[in-house]
Amino acid sequence: MSRKTGVSLRSLRYYEEKQLLNPIRLENGYREYAESDVERVGIIQLYFGLGLSVKEIGEFFDCAYTEAIKPQCLPNAIVVGEKKREQIRKQIEILRKAEAHLDNCLSSWKEILRKGEGQK
């Protein structure tokens, strides 16, 4: 699983400890992962990257990533999801402003160099 996902063994064990992953344990102690666990690990990584806690990720999985969606937990999942989406939108806005500022600086600096080269 580590090779397939690029996630360290330590992280996989942590996800298992926090019940985000539940591989089958074989008699020899090896873990057997389902093919769907590859996608699940990717989703876990995405959610951690978005700043969700283990608890929030676990609630999302309990609610929406089981065989049957549990309607009783959807209101909380929606609240958490909408809050996180708003945070992401704000981060995107900040990044766009930073990109525009950097573009202006780079353009200005390149122009200064271009004009300076012509005066030599």
Side-chain angles (χ1 to χ4, degrees):
M1 180 59 70
S2 180
R3 276 184 248 124
K4 282 185 176 181
T5 62
V7 174
S8 71
L9 289 173
R10 184 173 180 233
S11 292
L12 292 173
R13 300 297 173 262
Y14 178 73
Y15 300 162
E16 185 179 349
E17 176 188 321
K18 297 301 180 182
Q19 298 181 342
L20 299 176
L21 281 178
N22 297 303
I24 296 169
R25 292 298 286 247
L26 304 176
E27 286 183 25
N28 61 7
Y30 286 28
R31 292 162 176 87
E32 184 174 85
Y33 293 94
E35 206 45 51
S36 61
D37 286 335
V38 174
E39 181 181 355
R40 189 175 180 104
V41 168
I43 293 169
I44 292 168
Q45 292 282 288
L46 172 68
Y47 285 167
F48 274 132
L50 294 175
L52 270 70
S53 68
V54 169
K55 183 178 185 254
E56 290 170 326
I57 295 170
E59 288 172 355
F60 273 2
F61 282 163
D62 287 345
C63 185
Y65 292 103
T66 56
E67 289 182 23
I69 291 177
K70 299 175 185 172
Q72 68 274 16
C73 65
L74 286 176
N76 183 56
I78 290 169
V79 167
V80 171
E82 287 177 341
K83 179 181 170 189
K84 185 48 66 178
R85 182 180 61 194
E86 185 58 31
Q87 291 172 347
I88 291 167
R89 286 179 176 163
K90 286 179 182 177
Q91 289 174 337
I92 289 169
E93 183 181 333
I94 290 168
L95 289 171
R96 284 190 176 135
K97 287 179 182 177
E99 179 185 34
H101 175 75
L102 189 55
D103 284 345
N104 287 336
C105 288
L106 289 168
S107 179
S108 175
W109 297 336
K110 288 176 182 179
E111 183 64 20
I112 290 168
L113 284 178
R114 189 187 65 74
K115 286 181 179 178
E117 289 176 4
Q119 295 174 357
K120 287 184 181 180

